[in-house]
């Protein structure tokens, strides 16, 4: 009897060991999407209305707690992320703690995506772009430019070529923010070498920080914005600024090409018409924004559920363009931008739940060596 039980224990251990080995092989080369939360300060409107807080940030624990203002006796809901940032966080510190390593990886030849998500008026564009005057307040996008060109300057043995593009998705139409006609509608295409790409999108070669900042400023001035009750300069489109970093280093007398791609994504915010007061064009824009964000949520849910399910990337232009960033060959960082105000409890809870699901997505990033479409050749 004891011998039989001993044999059973041995076989169970073998099964458990085999299952662990299979899981190890299945997860080899995979890494989770990194998710951070950033809470903005109270804005003028919230201060004038005497709004109270509904969020507690515990930075050392990477934890965010949300309190229901309508149920004061209810315990707070807690969420844990890779990092959390309170309203006192300065732009440079946020960038260095959250984004620096990912941008370094792009210079090494990986694909990387940084995207900001959250309700309208929660500081997504402030985090990604910063104010026009820049300086210490510049956001993720201009800080990434500085880092890329500083690395190039420190590596004179390697030949680099930097090019960039800038597009927006407005009412489910793709527009080239650097093109001669920024209102022209462009088409999405797919091929084995390029993957999903936008046909006819302007590609600018840049040689220094000033050059790429000038390109970004020119494109940003063409972005579609409009005033709502929640945000005077509300983004009415999703915008993607893409930087391609090509490099050629000579190893043992032979050229060694690699290509990294950095997608910097500023999503338009989710909206409630009752809060934004949107009518006419603003209302139509808000409906399209919410539809594409809903499609993004469905892709995230399908990826996390697994079970060989169909992933609905084709349900929106946004999810097609982010296909490689969600479950594919990319290192991805999601920034969940939230408001501290009790007035926004429902929207903030929704954002935190969205972000909590996203951190379970597994990507398969690899260095892009010897790319077929390198312009450096």
């Amino acid at each position: 009897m004891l011998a039989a039980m001993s044999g059973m224990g041995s076989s169970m251990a073998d099964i458990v060991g085999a299952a662990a080995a299979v899981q190890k092989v299945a997860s080899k080369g995979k890494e989770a999407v990194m998710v951070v939360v950033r809470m903005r300060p109270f804005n003028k409107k919230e201060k004038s209305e005497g709004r109270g807080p509904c969020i507690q940030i515990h930075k050392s624990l990477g934890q965010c707690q949300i309190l229901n203002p309508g149920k004061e006796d209810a315990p707070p809901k807690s969420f844990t992320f890779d990092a959390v940032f309170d309203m006192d966080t300065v732009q440079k510190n946020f960038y260095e703690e959250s984004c620096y390593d990912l941008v370094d990886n792009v210079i090494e030849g990986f694909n990387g995506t940084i995207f900001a998500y959250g309700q309208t008026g929660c500081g997504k564009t402030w985090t990604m772009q910063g104010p026009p005057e820049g300086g210490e307040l510049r956001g993720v996008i201009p800080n990434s430019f500085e880092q890329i060109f500083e690395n190039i300057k420190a590596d004179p043995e390697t030949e680099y070529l930097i090019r960039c593009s800038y597009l927006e998705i407005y009412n489910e139409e793709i527009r080239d923010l650097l093109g001669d006609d920024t209102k022209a509608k462009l088409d999405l295409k797919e091929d084995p070498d390029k993957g999903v790409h936008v046909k006819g999108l302007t590609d600018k070669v840049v040689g220094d920080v000033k050059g790429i900042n000038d390109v970004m400023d020119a494109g940003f001035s063409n972005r579609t914005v409009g005033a709502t009750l929640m945000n005077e300069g509300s983004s009415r489109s999703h915008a993607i600024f893409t930087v391609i970093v090509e490099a050629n280093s000579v190893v043992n007398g032979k050229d060694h090409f690699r290509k990294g791609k950095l997608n910097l994504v500023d999503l338009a915010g989710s909206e409630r018409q009752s809060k934004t007061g949107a009518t006419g064009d603003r209302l139509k824009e808000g409906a399209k924004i919410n539809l594409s964000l809903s499609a993004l949520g469905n892709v995230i849910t399908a990826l996390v559920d697994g079970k060989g399910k169909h992933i609905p990337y084709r349900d929106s232009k946004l999810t097609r363009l982010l296909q490689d960033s969600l479950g594919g060959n990319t290192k991805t960082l999601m920034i969940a931008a939230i408001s501290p105000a009790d007035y926004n409890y429902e929207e903030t809870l929704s954002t935190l739940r969205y972000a909590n699901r996203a951190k379970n997505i597994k990507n398969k990033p690899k260095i892009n060596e010897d790319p077929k479409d390198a312009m450096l050749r």
Side-chain angles (χ1 to χ4, degrees):
M1 177 74 173
L2 284 173
M5 289 181 69
S6 172
M8 185 186 294
S10 172
S11 62
M12 282 299 292
D14 289 344
I15 291 168
V16 170
V22 168
Q23 181 63 32
K24 190 173 180 182
V25 170
S27 62
K28 189 178 180 183
K30 293 185 179 180
E31 66 175 51
V33 167
M34 182 178 172
V35 181
V36 303
V37 169
R38 187 179 191 186
M39 180 174 72
R40 64 156 170 77
F42 284 92
N43 61 31
K44 289 178 185 174
K45 184 172 184 284
E46 289 160 351
K47 287 177 181 175
S48 69
E49 293 173 354
R51 301 293 180 185
C54 69
I55 294 289
Q56 293 176 344
I57 296 287
H58 304 284
K59 193 168 181 185
S60 61
L61 301 173
Q63 194 175 81
C64 184
Q65 291 186 318
I66 182 166
L67 302 139
N68 187 341
K71 296 180 181 177
E72 293 182 7
D73 296 335
K77 290 181 171 66
S78 296
F79 298 88
T80 303
F81 298 100
D82 293 286
V84 292
F85 297 88
D86 60 26
M87 61 178 69
D88 297 321
T89 303
V90 299
Q91 296 276 59
K92 189 71 174 172
N93 289 355
F94 175 81
Y95 179 81
E96 289 177 351
E97 291 179 41
S98 298
C99 310
Y100 192 92
D101 289 347
L102 187 148
V103 176
D104 248 7
N105 291 148
V106 170
I107 298 165
E108 291 165 10
F110 286 95
N111 295 333
T113 291
I114 301 173
F115 74 95
Y117 172 83
Q119 86 178 108
T120 186
C122 273
K124 297 180 298 299
T125 301
W126 175 272
T127 292
M128 292 302 293
Q129 194 88 29
E133 63 268 25
E136 289 299 309
L137 296 177
R138 66 176 177 258
V140 168
I141 295 175
N143 273 314
S144 71
F145 300 162
E146 291 273 353
Q147 183 181 345
I148 288 167
F149 282 102
E150 279 174 10
N151 273 265
I152 289 172
K153 195 180 289 186
D155 184 16
E157 300 300 310
T158 302
E159 183 185 5
Y160 286 94
L161 179 74
I162 309 299
R163 47 197 175 93
C164 57
S165 61
Y166 202 179
L167 65 83
E168 73 172 358
I169 306 170
Y170 174 74
N171 283 346
E172 272 303 286
E173 291 183 358
I174 297 172
R175 297 175 171 183
D176 185 353
L177 293 174
L178 303 177
D180 293 331
D181 181 0
T182 58
K183 298 290 188 284
K185 179 182 171 184
L186 299 184
D187 294 324
L188 269 178
K189 299 292 180 184
E190 193 165 355
D191 70 42
D193 294 333
K194 291 184 179 179
V196 177
H197 66 283
V198 179
K199 185 180 179 182
L201 187 65
T202 302
D203 207 32
K204 298 269 190 185
V205 174
V206 289
D208 53 26
V209 172
K210 182 183 182 306
I212 197 168
N213 271 315
D214 287 346
V215 170
M216 180 193 68
D217 290 343
F220 189 72
S221 68
N222 292 324
R223 235 190 124 176
T224 307
V225 297
T228 72
L229 295 180
M230 295 288 287
N231 187 358
E232 286 180 14
S234 174
S235 302
R236 311 311 294 162
S237 66
H238 307 303
I240 304 177
F241 192 101
T242 300
V243 185
I244 304 289
V245 181
E246 291 187 20
N248 178 30
S249 38
V250 179
V251 180
N252 297 326
K254 292 185 178 179
D255 288 332
H256 179 74
F257 293 98
R258 64 182 190 270
K259 184 181 81 170
K261 179 168 77 169
L262 177 61
N263 293 312
L264 298 155
V265 186
D266 181 13
L267 297 177
S270 55
E271 298 188 357
R272 284 192 181 185
Q273 191 275 336
S274 59
K275 284 190 174 182
T276 61
T279 58
D281 285 347
R282 295 292 90 86
L283 184 60
K284 181 185 173 188
E285 293 160 357
K288 292 286 188 182
I289 289 165
N290 287 343
L291 274 174
S292 62
L293 292 175
S294 176
L296 180 59
N298 292 339
V299 165
I300 290 171
T301 299
L303 285 167
V304 172
D305 286 352
K307 304 170 189 170
K309 253 174 98 172
H310 163 70
I311 312 299
Y313 291 116
R314 291 180 174 271
D315 284 0
S316 77
K317 301 287 196 328
L318 177 65
T319 48
R320 294 266 328 263
L321 285 168
L322 292 181
Q323 184 167 331
D324 229 19
S325 305
L326 299 167
N329 172 28
T330 304
K331 290 175 175 282
T332 300
L333 167 66
M334 175 183 179
I335 301 166
I338 60 172
S339 156
D342 50 11
Y343 171 63
N344 292 318
Y345 168 79
E346 292 290 346
E347 292 87 348
T348 300
L349 179 59
S350 174
T351 296
L352 293 173
R353 284 175 171 160
Y354 203 101
N356 200 50
R357 285 203 306 275
K359 71 182 186 182
N360 295 306
I361 296 171
K362 295 290 192 290
N363 284 357
K364 302 174 282 290
K366 65 182 192 299
I367 292 178
N368 302 301
E369 296 179 292
D370 200 28
K372 293 179 181 177
D373 59 344
M375 289 176 64
L376 265 180
R377 293 178 188 280

